[in-house]
Amino acid sequence: MERWWHYLTPGPLQLGTGLACLGVGLQRGRLPTVGPRTLDHWVAVVVSAGRGWYATPDGARQPVTAPAAIWLRPGVPHHYAPDAGGWSEGFVDFTGTATAAYAELGLLPEAEVVPLTAAEPAQRVIAKVAAACRRGGPLTGVEAAAGVHELLVELRRHRADLDPEGAPVLEVLRRDAFLPIPVTEHARRAGMTVAELRRAVQAVGAVGPKEYLLTVRLTEAKQLLAASELPVASVARRVGYEDAAYFTRIFTRRVGVAPSVFRAQQYRGDGQLRPVGRDELAEELTELYGPERASAEARRATD
């Protein structure tokens, strides 16, 4: 039996980033049974070889066969162990306010045992976190927390229980994202009903098709605003919005500034960008905020 682990004690500043690593470990062989116990934080246990079992809070056992991830949730009793032949595992303990958002994004699954298509990518990340802890130094906690982010992405990417049709559907949506068509037409082009499209997209992206399309469109709009001098109305049409005022409203609510302000801040083109006047910006914002607040917002943005 081989066992190594290291625990961290993040301070308020590290916890303030939203995600902190509390510990990391690498073990293999005939390991002892864990639990029954209850923790106040998350743990991702990646089983890369061997098999064993996991007991749910009601005492029912389910098999664990590598490659697989065991997710220990805060406040939920757990109990697990390898079979007599042992197994190889790596684990990372973590906590923070960002875990709620990761759960909403589907990176922290509700299932306690999740099969993986491969464990090696996740194990490499765990080994990287372990190496940071071995080195030590003032950046250990930050580096370890960055590893937790990467680990969650790898475990999500290599889940074996997700609908394999989801990825091709995303390709279809990306291909047609800038066409001014409704979600019903996107579903038809994908050969699905709207409900089937929603399930397929959520299976791989944890968001619905409307949110996914909006993200793709706004990302492209930012590129166009930063790299060209196209009028805002032209940018809107390029990304699928015939109504420039509606595009401005959506962009401003999601990005936090109007398209013309984003351009003034982020322009990377080769030409000399014309500054946006206060009256012009107020006119652009009027439909979104109303005349009085639009003028105030324009003053604030141009002062």
Side-chain angles (χ1 to χ4, degrees), residues 235-254:
V235 172
R237 286 192 294 272
R238 290 277 189 99
V239 299
Y241 296 100
E242 295 294 337
D243 186 342
Y246 179 71
F247 164 74
T248 295
R249 187 160 62 247
I250 291 293
F251 188 98
T252 305
R253 285 176 177 167
R254 179 55 66 94

Side-chain angles (χ1 to χ4, degrees), residues 31-74:
L31 304 175
T33 299
V34 175
R37 67 175 186 178
T38 303
L39 299 175
D40 63 355
H41 59 268
W42 285 87
V43 183
V45 182
V46 179
V47 180
S48 56
R51 62 182 64 224
W53 54 267
Y54 175 91
T56 57
D58 61 6
R61 286 192 179 188
Q62 54 182 302
V64 177
T65 302
I70 302 174
W71 292 95
L72 311 180
R73 308 171 70 88

Side-chain angles (χ1 to χ4, degrees), residues 8-270:
L8 299 164
T9 306
L13 289 178
Q14 180 66 57
L15 292 171
T17 66
L19 192 66
C21 181
L22 299 175
V24 59
L26 299 165
Q27 308 183 113
R28 65 179 179 180
R30 298 180 63 180
L31 304 175
T33 299
V34 175
R37 67 175 186 178
T38 303
L39 299 175
D40 63 355
H41 59 268
W42 285 87
V43 183
V45 182
V46 179
V47 180
S48 56
R51 62 182 64 224
W53 54 267
Y54 175 91
T56 57
D58 61 6
R61 286 192 179 188
Q62 54 182 302
V64 177
T65 302
I70 302 174
W71 292 95
L72 311 180
R73 308 171 70 88
V76 178
H78 58 265
H79 189 197
Y80 65 94
D83 289 346
W87 69 23
S88 296
E89 71 169 56
F91 68 83
V92 171
D93 294 46
F94 58 96
T95 190
T97 55
T99 56
Y102 275 116
E104 287 292 323
L105 289 169
L107 275 72
L108 294 175
E110 295 183 2
E112 291 89 357
V113 178
V114 175
L116 302 174
T117 57
E120 289 78 9
Q123 285 286 52
R124 283 196 293 269
V125 177
I126 295 174
K128 189 160 61 173
V129 174
C133 291
R134 287 189 175 106
R135 286 194 304 272
L139 296 179
T140 300
V142 177
E143 191 173 354
V148 176
H149 285 270
E150 187 177 356
L151 177 64
L152 298 184
V153 172
E154 290 293 356
L155 289 175
R156 177 64 175 74
R157 180 176 288 135
H158 293 284
R159 283 180 61 173
D161 61 331
L162 298 180
D163 185 356
E165 294 182 1
V169 168
L170 293 187
E171 290 295 332
V172 172
L173 286 180
R174 277 195 295 270
R175 182 195 68 196
D176 298 338
F178 308 131
L179 298 177
I181 58 178
V183 171
T184 51
E185 177 61 18
H186 283 291
R188 189 193 68 78
R189 287 169 175 251
M192 296 177 166
T193 66
V194 172
E196 289 171 338
L197 177 66
R198 185 180 301 110
R199 285 194 296 270
V201 174
Q202 288 177 333
V204 292
V207 296
K210 285 186 178 180
E211 175 66 19
Y212 181 76
L213 287 167
L214 177 61
T215 300
V216 173
R217 287 178 167 187
L218 292 183
T219 298
E220 178 64 15
K222 286 182 174 181
Q223 301 289 348
L224 292 170
L225 290 166
S228 78
E229 296 183 52
L230 286 171
V232 170
S234 298
V235 172
R237 286 192 294 272
R238 290 277 189 99
V239 299
Y241 296 100
E242 295 294 337
D243 186 342
Y246 179 71
F247 164 74
T248 295
R249 187 160 62 247
I250 291 293
F251 188 98
T252 305
R253 285 176 177 167
R254 179 55 66 94
V255 179
V257 295
S260 56
V261 174
F262 179 85
R263 165 174 280 161
Q265 295 172 342
Q266 302 293 338
Y267 184 64
R268 297 292 188 273
D270 296 328

